């Protein structure tokens, strides 16, 4: 690492020794390191590039970790990592055993609060602030949050709490007018009005209007005018919405001007009570391809440094593409189908749906709880909502799924993209809990298709099922196809599994997208052992196909279940209970899945290997169970 200034920064306090000219140069060096690293490792580039100057200024004004700067999401905090002693390790970003792409409390004493999911920083900051007050300490507390994340319910609940408690906290809003795509929602429009100066213009025009009508007489009148002007400004203060909620509002200021940010922070940090500083930045700042296409460079795979072209393999289509295509087809048939996303238009691949049916498409912003209850309302009125969401982010909405959807047997469909291990984003983003929490909910049908054709059939099934809610999970990445695709896509019979291959020595019950590994493992073992292994593709985690499973296990007496989800309370455990309750004796069973622990970051292949969920792991399990009884 050959950086003149960065090499001198071991810890944030070293920043305080540099001049403003040197700081600008340092910002360039940090950007260079981030861009070069992410071009190789992939990662969250555009937001991190936009937050470099903010990080420098914050860490010059505040003494971290004594003062608490709490980062939201954590995807913009690469410069935080670099400036808190991890510059030399930064090349290991998001790699197995390397540093995490998000804030992680176990990684560094400077990562004071873990993140990955959005909109947690203000609540956590309130916790830090109350702890400070109870301990009668004096440290500063800052929550750093983006303009999209601030509109989430969790953030607004915290604002509600802080405003009333008049707690000493600074909320530092980084406004780049972007979520992953351009920010949506009334709050974002409000920030936008502040940024574009519409509110300032209103003040200026109104003031001018009044002043023009007052004759210009000497001092007393001038003083009245001055008061008037201030009064008018008070009414139209840019952050009046927040001021009414008990916050002092400062800004907007340029978030790429270190000196200005620093001076502003120094001016406001000792003002008592809740404060907001509104800072505007450019997403992707300093790397032209990212500035031009901040959505693409929000979270990106490896790319060519010169051109910004992605290096990924675009030859095969993804599960998200299959999902969105079949949904679009079905939506043409059924006008009641509507699609709802929570700030993940690109991720869920629903742009075409939005274009084709703008009135039947809703992006509610980062508002997963609202997305679900909103869908419930629509379903009550006879619509057929598809809530398209990443498995990890739906975790926020379990109560809404139970209380607003399932309890009322509403036919809402939940399509969980990025289900299972997701790779480099790591522990905060793996979608490994959904089988368990969906399975536990009464009346919920839980489908886990095992290939592209099955995903299409699952979508059709869910679209035409009106007795209650359905969830469908599918993984990140390219599709797999077992055998040929059907020419005619037909719905499943609810709870009916498919028998993929007959056998007599062992039953493997596959749930979901690990089927390619299962079929390879079975093929390679049968090649050199004289074995016949039966493969059942469960399709449904709930209801399960009791007959097919029981008949198979009666015959083989040995069974392996496999799923890419937490084992505790998962699909395998349903099979265990079924076999136990059936009174069947003398059988052995092995459940493959994810042990009850959090899985770190690494490539999908590395992580599956670690969890025993690849071809090798399945072969080992087969050998193990064959040795029993
Ligand atoms: C609960 C949750 N929903 C969705 C996401 C996916 N996500 C990550 S960053 C992001 C946009 C954040 O925008 P903003 O807060 O404005 O920060 P910026 O990236 O623009 O700096 C989204 C939707 C998430 N991390 N957490």
């Amino acid at each position: 690492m050959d950086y003149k200034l960065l090499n001198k920064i071991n810890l944030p306090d070293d920043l305080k020794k540099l001049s403003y000219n040197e700081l600008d140069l340092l910002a360039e060096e940090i950007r260079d390191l981030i861009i070069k690293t992410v071009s190789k490792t992939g990662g969250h580039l555009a937001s991190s590039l936009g937050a470099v100057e903010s990080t420098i200024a914050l860490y010059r004004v505040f003494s971290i970790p004594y003062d608490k700067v709490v980062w939201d999401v954590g995807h913009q905090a690469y410069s935080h990592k670099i400036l808190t002693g991890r510059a030399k390790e930064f090349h290991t970003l998001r790699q197995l055993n390397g540093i995490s792409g998000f804030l992680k409390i176990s990684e560094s004493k400077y990562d004071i609060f873990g993140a990955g999911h959005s909109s947690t920083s203000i609540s956590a900051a309130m916790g830090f602030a109350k702890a400070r007050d109870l301990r009668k300490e004096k440290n500063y507390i800052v929550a750093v949050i983006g303009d999209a994340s601030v509109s989430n319910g969790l953030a607004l609940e915290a604002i509600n709490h802080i405003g009333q408690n008049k707690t000493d906290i600074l909320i530092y809003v980084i406004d780049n007018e972007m979520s992953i795509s351009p920010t949506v929602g009334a709050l974002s429009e409000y920030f936008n009005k502040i940024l574009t100066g519409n509110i300032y213009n209103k003040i200026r025009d109104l003031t001018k209007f009044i002043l023009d009508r007052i004759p210009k007489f000497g001092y007393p009148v001038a003083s009245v005018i001055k008061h008037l002007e201030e009064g008018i400004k008070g009414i139209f203060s840019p952050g009046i919405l927040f001021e009414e909620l008990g916050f002092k509002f400062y800004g907007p200021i340029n978030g790429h001007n270190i000196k200005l940010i620093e001076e502003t922070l120094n001016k406001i940090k000792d003002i008592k009570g809740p404060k907001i500083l509104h800072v505007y930045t450019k997403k992707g700042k300093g790397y032209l391809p990212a500035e031009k296409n901040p959505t693409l460079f929000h979270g990106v795979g490896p790319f060519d440094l010169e051109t910004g072209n992605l290096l990924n393999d675009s030859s095969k289509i993804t599960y998200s593409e299959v999902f969105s295509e079949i949904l679009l087809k079905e939506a043409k048939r059924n006008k009641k189908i509507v699609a709802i996303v929570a700030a993940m238009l690109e991720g869920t691949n629903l742009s075409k749906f939005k274009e084709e049916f703008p009135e039947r498409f809703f992006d509610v912003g980062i508002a997963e709880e609202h997305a679900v209850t909103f869908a419930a309302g629509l379903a009550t009125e006879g619509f057929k909502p598809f809530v398209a969401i990443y498995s990890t982010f739906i975790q926020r909405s379990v109560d809404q799924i139970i209380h607003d959807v399932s309890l009322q047997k509403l036919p809402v469909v939940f399509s969980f993209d990025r289900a299972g291990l997701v790779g480099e984003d790591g522990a905060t983003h793996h979608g490994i809990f959904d089988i368990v929490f969906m399975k536990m909910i009464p009346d919920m049908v839980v489908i886990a298709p095992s290939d592209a054709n099955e995903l299409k059939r699952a979508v059709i099934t869910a679209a035409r099922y009106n007795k209650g809610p359905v969830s469908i999970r599918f993984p990140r990445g390219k599709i797999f196809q077992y055998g040929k695709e059907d020419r005619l896509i037909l719905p499943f019979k609810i709870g009916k599994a498919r028998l993929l291959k007959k056998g007599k020595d062992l039953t493997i019950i596959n749930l979901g997208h690990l089927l390619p590994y299962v079929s390879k493992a079975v093929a390679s073992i049968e090649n050199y052992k004289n074995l016949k292994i039966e493969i059942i593709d469960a399709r449904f985690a709930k209801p399960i196909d009791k007959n097919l499973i029981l008949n198979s296990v009666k015959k083989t007496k040995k069974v392996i279940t496999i799923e890419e989800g937490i084992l505790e309370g998962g699909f395998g455990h349903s099979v265990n209970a079924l076999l136990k309750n059936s009174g069947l004796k003398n059988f052995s069973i092995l459940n493959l899945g994810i042990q009850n622990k959090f899985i770190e970051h690494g490539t999908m292949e590395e992580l599956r290997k670690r969890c025993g969920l690849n071809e090798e792991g399945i072969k080992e399990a087969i050998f193990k169970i064959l040795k029993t009884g």
Side-chain angles (χ1 to χ4, degrees):
M1 213 181 64
D2 192 20
Y3 292 110
K4 197 170 137 238
L5 289 160
L6 197 49
N7 284 347
K8 292 188 197 160
I9 309 287
N10 293 315
L11 290 175
D13 269 355
D14 298 331
L15 286 170
K16 297 176 183 168
K17 299 171 196 155
L18 301 186
S19 70
Y20 286 115
N21 282 343
E22 287 175 314
L23 289 172
D24 287 338
L25 238 134
L26 176 73
E28 271 179 38
E29 292 185 357
I30 293 174
R31 278 205 171 84
D32 189 70
L33 177 59
I34 293 177
I35 297 164
K36 283 186 178 147
T37 306
V38 177
S39 75
K40 293 190 193 116
T41 62
H44 290 89
L45 185 67
S47 309
S48 270
L49 291 180
V52 177
E53 288 82 4
S54 290
T55 316
I56 294 175
L58 282 163
Y59 290 178
R60 275 169 61 85
V61 173
F62 298 106
S63 296
I64 62 157
Y66 176 65
D67 292 328
K68 309 294 176 200
V69 175
V70 188
W71 292 89
D72 206 79
V73 193
H75 66 309
Q76 76 292 57
Y78 290 173
S79 24
H80 155 81
K81 298 214 169 205
I82 290 169
L83 293 172
T84 51
R86 283 166 280 181
K88 290 196 175 71
E89 289 168 80
F90 195 64
H91 67 278
T92 67
L93 184 72
R94 292 157 48 88
Q95 292 167 53
L96 195 67
N97 304 323
I99 60 176
S100 159
F102 297 95
L103 274 264
K104 191 171 163 196
I105 206 161
S106 58
E107 189 177 291
S108 157
K109 69 173 182 177
Y110 293 98
D111 288 8
I112 55 163
F113 197 76
H117 288 198
S118 86
S119 316
T120 59
S121 64
I122 309 180
S123 294
M126 180 59 165
F128 281 109
K130 280 289 157 200
R132 169 200 61 196
D133 297 346
L134 287 167
R135 288 202 197 110
K136 307 216 174 329
E137 290 205 29
K138 295 276 173 238
N139 50 331
Y140 297 100
I141 312 285
V142 184
V144 183
I145 189 164
D147 57 303
S149 298
V150 87
S151 66
N152 174 270
L154 180 56
L156 296 178
E157 286 169 32
I159 286 174
N160 194 39
H161 186 195
I162 295 167
Q164 199 218 358
N165 270 259
K166 307 195 172 18
T167 314
D168 286 340
I169 287 186
L170 170 65
I171 302 178
Y172 185 99
V173 179
I174 300 187
D175 185 355
N176 51 24
E177 299 178 75
M178 296 290 288
S179 179
I180 293 177
S181 14
T183 316
V184 298
L187 204 58
S188 111
E189 279 173 15
Y190 182 69
F191 276 122
N192 192 263
K193 270 189 209 156
I194 298 175
L195 279 188
T196 52
N198 275 353
I199 294 178
Y200 279 132
N201 293 343
K202 253 191 210 158
I203 302 168
R204 207 190 44 225
D205 294 349
L206 194 66
T207 312
K208 189 169 178 304
F209 176 83
I210 295 170
L211 296 186
D212 285 350
R213 276 151 189 81
I214 298 177
K216 295 185 175 37
F217 296 121
Y219 171 74
V221 176
S223 146
V224 169
I225 290 169
K226 193 167 181 319
H227 276 107
L228 238 176
E229 201 175 329
E230 269 162 17
I232 294 165
K233 269 191 184 157
I235 295 167
F236 287 103
S237 151
I240 187 147
L241 181 67
F242 295 102
E243 302 254 349
E244 290 294 319
L245 293 174
F247 285 76
K248 295 215 168 59
F249 192 92
Y250 305 94
I253 61 167
N254 179 354
H256 297 302
N257 183 333
I258 297 173
K259 187 162 182 272
L260 177 65
I261 306 172
E262 199 177 319
E263 282 170 0
T264 313
L265 287 172
N266 276 324
K267 264 186 215 149
I268 67 174
K269 68 179 186 184
D270 289 314
I271 295 172
K272 290 281 158 213
K275 299 164 280 289
I276 293 179
L277 176 59
H278 182 199
V279 166
Y280 59 88
T281 63
K282 180 142 195 69
K283 194 159 177 168
K285 171 91 175 164
Y287 184 57
L288 208 59
E291 283 189 20
K292 280 190 183 154
N293 194 345
T295 300
L296 181 69
F297 282 90
H298 175 88
V300 72
F303 57 90
D304 179 86
L305 212 52
E306 290 295 308
T307 59
N309 293 337
L310 304 192
L311 302 178
N312 66 1
D313 160 28
S314 54
S315 57
K316 238 179 165 188
I317 60 170
T318 61
Y319 278 103
S320 317
E321 287 170 306
V322 170
F323 162 74
S324 60
E325 266 171 40
I326 190 76
L327 180 63
L328 186 61
K329 248 192 198 164
E330 190 67 3
K332 286 179 184 160
R333 233 182 120 257
N334 178 357
K335 296 192 169 25
K336 296 286 183 196
I337 289 180
V338 295
I340 300 166
V341 301
M344 302 301 288
L345 170 65
E346 285 77 18
T348 53
N349 205 54
L350 284 171
S351 304
K352 272 195 209 147
F353 190 107
K354 181 183 174 188
E355 265 167 42
E356 191 104 8
F357 301 116
E359 285 178 0
R360 287 158 59 191
F361 174 85
F362 305 95
D363 182 352
V364 297
I366 309 179
E368 287 81 6
E369 298 99 312
H370 166 61
V372 173
T373 304
F374 168 55
L378 280 157
T380 315
E381 286 292 303
F383 284 89
K384 182 76 190 174
F386 271 71
V387 180
I389 227 160
Y390 286 12
S391 164
T392 187
F393 301 139
I394 198 68
Q395 287 166 201
R396 289 235 162 135
S397 317
V398 173
D399 181 53
Q400 287 72 29
I401 299 175
I402 296 173
H403 178 271
D404 301 326
V405 176
S406 300
L407 186 57
Q408 312 194 83
K409 287 196 173 43
L410 292 170
V412 175
V413 183
F414 299 97
S415 72
F416 299 151
D417 202 324
R418 304 325 193 249
L421 296 166
V422 295
E424 293 82 353
D425 277 347
T428 53
H429 281 61
H430 296 310
I432 55 179
F433 302 100
D434 61 280
I435 300 174
V436 178
F437 62 69
M438 295 311 274
K439 223 191 67 181
M440 76 180 180
I441 303 174
D443 297 314
M444 179 66 69
V445 172
V446 184
I447 314 181
S450 56
D451 64 25
N453 190 65
E454 290 282 297
L455 172 56
K456 289 182 191 169
R457 294 191 64 184
V459 171
I460 301 284
T461 308
R464 299 177 194 179
Y465 177 79
N466 280 316
K467 292 188 189 145
V470 178
S471 75
I472 303 170
R473 73 185 318 247
F474 53 90
R476 175 189 159 209
K478 308 287 178 188
I479 57 161
F480 162 74
Q481 184 53 52
Y482 187 89
K484 279 200 181 128
E485 272 203 51
D486 296 343
R487 288 176 64 196
L488 188 65
I489 304 294
L490 295 173
F492 298 139
K493 191 162 177 291
I494 298 292
K496 189 87 198 86
R498 64 170 170 164
L499 182 61
L500 284 183
K501 188 176 148 329
K502 285 202 165 191
K504 57 178 175 42
D505 302 306
L506 163 69
T507 305
I508 296 185
I509 311 175
N510 170 73
L511 179 80
H513 56 260
L514 295 175
L515 185 59
Y517 300 107
V518 172
S519 54
K520 272 193 196 155
V522 167
S524 95
I525 286 183
E526 285 186 337
N527 249 346
Y528 64 90
K529 295 243 170 198
N530 196 18
L531 289 169
K532 285 281 162 268
I533 298 174
E534 184 143 303
I535 306 178
I536 294 175
D537 184 20
R539 277 184 183 148
F540 292 84
K542 193 182 149 207
I544 59 175
D545 192 335
K546 293 181 184 168
N547 284 339
L548 191 65
I549 293 173
L550 282 174
N551 287 337
S552 178
V553 182
K554 268 182 205 158
K555 178 174 59 179
T556 63
K557 299 279 200 260
K558 292 183 197 312
V559 54
I560 294 175
T561 64
I562 179 160
E563 66 202 290
E564 197 167 50
I566 283 283
L567 281 170
E568 206 70 44
F571 168 73
H573 285 190
S574 292
V575 175
N576 295 358
L578 169 74
L579 296 178
K580 186 163 179 280
N581 296 338
S582 73
L584 201 70
K585 300 254 163 21
N586 302 325
F587 67 89
S588 347
I589 182 157
L590 258 182
N591 300 129
L592 303 189
I594 293 166
Q595 300 297 332
N596 199 215
K597 58 183 183 204
F598 292 105
I599 309 294
E600 302 301 346
H601 48 276
T603 63
M604 301 273 267
E605 293 69 33
E606 288 165 337
L607 299 182
R608 283 186 175 146
K609 185 171 175 211
R610 266 198 181 179
C611 297
L613 295 176
N614 61 356
E615 186 184 333
E616 284 312 307
I618 297 167
K619 278 204 242 177
E620 266 172 42
I622 296 175
F623 288 131
K624 191 169 165 196
I625 201 161
L626 287 175
K627 279 192 197 139
T628 60

